């Protein structure tokens, strides 16, 4: 039996951080970072059956063109992803009354819709990027046993190419769900490796008043390639989503609207439009998933 200290429930039987019970979520879930973006997606729904929020974790579940979908804000960073995916998995794969894992497991479909900056000059602002791989620079997933789901060859190639300082921890590489990749892919979407950092400033090469360990890391990432896959963008959630989803048997895919190009120094003139177009595209692909 899973002890109360390990799986904490609220007095109403909901999981501790997300404030959700099993009946509150659909099998198809969209992740966003910003809680204010949840309603930017659910505004397109035909109806909303449930809504709740605790801290930065806001969830709404409803119907879009006959399909039941949940939309959830995760907040920022791999540490929040650790909370969200473990608690979502508990909702569908652990009997919360007996505190025993279920014999028949459920696989969720999780699609992240986010915004990001491109590292490649030829991936312009307002375009879409699909993360073929998540490359974790954050170390969070190393708390788990990941050998069966990680791409060691990609990790080794990145470490060698960047002369990675192993004192920062070993990067990890996890692929997306092939099922969701085939569902969402389009000639209009760029594919590549999404690097996931554990912070916004120093970990992503930004310098304000503090010097950073490797000032050339972003330049090294710009020209890294593995089996013809480049690092397309840098953000703070994808690799953690891919890693935990793979370990727990869920399908995960990360999509980003590119609102900045760090190679050219440009920023979208209308980032909200780019995000709205990605939302509409993704919703319609989910509806067509049989």
């Amino acid at each position: 039996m899973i002890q109360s200290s390990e799986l904490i429930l609220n007095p109403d039987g909901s999981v501790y951080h997300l404030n959700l019970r099993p009946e509150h979520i659909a099998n198809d879930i969209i992740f966003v970072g910003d809680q204010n973006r949840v309603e930017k997606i659910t505004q397109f729904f035909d109806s909303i059956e449930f809504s709740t929020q605790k801290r930065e974790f806001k969830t709404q579940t409803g119907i879009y063109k006959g399909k039941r979908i949940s939309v959830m804000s995760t907040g920022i960073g791999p540490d929040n992803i650790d909370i969200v995916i473990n608690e979502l998995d508990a909702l569908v794969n652990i009997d919360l009354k007996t505190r025993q894992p279920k014999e028949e497991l459920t696989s969720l479909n999780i699609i992240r819709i986010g915004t990001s900056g491109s590292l490649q000059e030829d991936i312009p602002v307002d375009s879409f990027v699909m993360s073929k791989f998540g490359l974790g620079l954050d170390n969070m997933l190393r708390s788990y046993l990941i050998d069966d789901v990680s791409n060691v060859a990609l990790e080794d190639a990145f470490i060698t190419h960047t002369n990675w300082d192993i004192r920062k921890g070993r990067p990890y590489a996890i692929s997306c769900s092939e099922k969701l990749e085939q569902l969402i892919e389009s000639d209009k979407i760029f594919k590549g490796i999404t690097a996931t950092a554990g912070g916004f400033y120093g970990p992503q090469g930004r310098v304000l008043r503090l010097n950073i360990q490797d000032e050339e890391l972003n330049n090294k990432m710009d020209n890294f390639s593995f089996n013809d896959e480049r690092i397309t963008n840098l953000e703070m959630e994808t690799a953690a989503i891919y890693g935990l989803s793979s370990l727990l048997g869920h399908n995960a895919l990360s999509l980003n609207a590119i609102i900045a190009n760090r190679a050219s120094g440009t920023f979208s003139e209308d980032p909200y439009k780019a995000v709205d177009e990605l939302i509409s595209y993704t919703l319609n692909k989910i509806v067509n998933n049989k």
Side-chain angles (χ1 to χ4, degrees):
M1 186 177 74
I2 301 171
Q3 298 297 314
S4 299
S5 59
E6 310 307 294
L7 176 57
I8 304 169
L9 301 179
N10 296 311
D12 65 353
S14 61
V15 288
Y16 183 64
H17 295 91
L18 302 185
N19 216 31
L20 297 170
R21 295 196 301 270
E23 65 269 21
H24 293 152
I25 62 167
N27 279 9
D28 293 284
I29 301 174
I30 294 174
F31 281 177
V32 294
D34 184 355
Q35 56 194 303
N36 294 323
R37 198 172 290 157
V38 171
E39 291 182 351
K40 288 185 177 295
I41 297 177
T42 60
Q43 67 176 328
F44 297 106
F45 283 17
D46 304 315
S47 61
I48 296 173
E49 67 182 60
F50 176 79
S51 181
T52 192
Q53 180 168 1
K54 185 177 182 181
R55 303 184 187 182
E56 63 266 54
F57 307 114
K58 180 173 183 175
T59 303
Q60 290 190 331
T61 296
I63 303 297
Y64 177 75
K65 295 184 178 180
K67 186 84 166 182
R68 190 170 186 255
I69 302 171
S70 294
V71 183
M72 174 181 298
S73 61
T74 65
I76 298 174
D79 49 346
N80 273 16
I81 297 302
D82 184 57
I83 290 171
V84 170
I85 292 190
N86 273 292
E87 292 194 3
L88 280 176
D89 181 75
L91 288 171
V92 295
N93 289 323
I94 296 174
D95 187 318
L96 300 185
K97 293 182 179 177
T98 65
R99 294 182 169 273
Q100 297 281 357
K102 296 179 180 178
E103 292 185 5
E104 186 174 339
L105 300 178
T106 296
S107 181
L108 299 170
N109 298 316
I110 299 168
I111 298 178
R112 177 182 185 267
I113 297 178
T115 57
S116 184
S118 170
L119 296 181
Q120 304 294 338
E121 192 163 7
D122 63 326
I123 301 178
V125 295
D126 302 327
S127 62
F128 302 155
V129 163
M130 175 188 293
S131 307
K132 180 77 174 177
F133 292 94
L135 178 63
L137 312 180
D138 57 279
N139 234 20
M140 186 278 290
L141 205 68
R142 290 292 174 190
S143 294
Y144 299 94
L145 302 173
I146 67 171
D147 289 351
D148 290 343
V149 300
S150 62
N151 189 317
V152 175
L154 196 163
E155 296 165 6
D156 287 342
F158 179 79
I159 290 168
T160 299
H161 179 81
T162 60
N163 192 26
W164 184 263
D165 189 336
I166 207 65
R167 290 176 297 179
K168 295 192 291 186
R170 180 183 170 88
Y172 60 90
I174 314 288
S175 65
C176 69
S177 160
E178 291 184 8
K179 170 188 170 182
L180 294 182
E181 177 187 3
Q182 292 172 7
L183 173 69
I184 299 293
E185 67 180 350
S186 162
D187 293 340
K188 298 180 180 179
I189 297 179
F190 292 89
K191 290 185 181 181
I193 302 167
T194 293
T196 296
F200 183 77
Y201 289 97
Q204 293 191 37
R206 293 182 172 91
V207 177
L208 302 183
R209 291 203 315 116
L210 294 176
N211 293 329
I212 57 177
Q213 183 269 330
D214 186 351
E215 294 181 353
E216 296 301 316
L217 180 58
N218 279 17
N219 291 332
K220 296 173 187 175
M221 290 197 294
D222 289 349
N223 55 44
F224 173 72
S225 178
F226 178 80
N227 291 344
D228 296 325
E229 299 285 358
R230 302 175 299 166
I231 297 180
T232 51
N233 59 317
L234 180 59
E235 46 83 91
M236 296 179 64
E237 290 83 28
T238 294
I241 293 171
Y242 283 8
L244 288 171
S245 295
S246 295
L247 289 170
L248 290 166
H250 304 297
N251 299 301
L253 187 70
S254 180
L255 303 170
N256 276 277
I258 298 300
I259 61 171
N261 186 298
R262 296 187 68 182
S264 63
T266 55
F267 191 84
S268 173
E269 294 182 1
D270 192 352
Y272 299 108
K273 179 182 177 183
V275 173
D276 285 346
E277 289 178 351
L278 181 56
I279 289 168
S280 178
Y281 176 83
T282 304
L283 282 173
N284 287 310
K285 286 291 187 177
I286 293 173
V287 166
N288 293 327
N289 181 27
K290 305 300 182 183

